[in-house]
Amino acid sequence: MRISQDKLNKLAHVVADTLADMDEVEFMEDRNTIRQEARRILGHLLAEEMKIDQAARQKIESQRKIILEGSQEWEILYRKYYNDEVKKLGI
């Protein structure tokens, strides 16, 4: 799933603000550093998700039979291949 840089920044702000509001959390760095790290981590996670998505789609496209995206068969295969890729990563 593609997400704009603005939305990624907004998510990072929400993460940093939420952590700052928690009594159990104490920042060892300033809030901006926390926000930047949250943005970096979120960006990495989204990039990994895109790789998993592409691998699942590639497996569907490599089938002998043409399977139309949006069909029930495509959805079932996509979930199966997506979950297989996630398991490979140990998630």
Side-chain angles (χ1 to χ4, degrees):
M1 171 179 163
R2 286 215 167 260
I3 188 168
S4 71
Q5 295 298 320
D6 287 340
K7 287 183 181 179
L8 191 59
N9 284 332
K10 176 65 175 166
L11 280 172
H13 275 285
V14 169
V15 168
D17 292 345
T18 301
L19 289 172
D21 291 342
M22 295 175 74
D23 293 334
E24 301 86 6
V25 175
E26 182 179 336
F27 286 173
M28 303 301 260
E29 299 285 338
D30 63 292
R31 191 180 289 197
N32 191 49
T33 302
I34 302 301
R35 182 195 56 77
Q36 289 173 345
E37 185 64 13
R39 187 187 182 293
R40 186 188 69 75
I41 291 168
L42 287 168
H44 176 73
L45 288 172
L46 289 171
E48 288 298 314
E49 194 277 333
M50 284 177 51
K51 288 179 189 175
I52 293 169
D53 175 74
Q54 277 304 114
R57 290 174 181 275
Q58 184 107 19
K59 285 181 180 180
I60 294 171
E61 290 173 6
S62 69
Q63 302 289 317
R64 287 185 182 179
K65 178 177 138 183
I66 295 175
I67 303 168
L68 297 176
E69 185 172 348
S71 68
Q72 185 177 8
E73 183 179 11
W74 190 94
E75 295 292 332
I76 291 167
L77 287 173
Y78 180 82
R79 278 195 303 268
K80 178 189 181 317
Y81 293 145
Y82 188 94
N83 288 334
D84 289 347
E85 291 297 316
V86 168
K87 286 178 187 172
K88 283 184 190 177
L89 294 176
I91 299 175

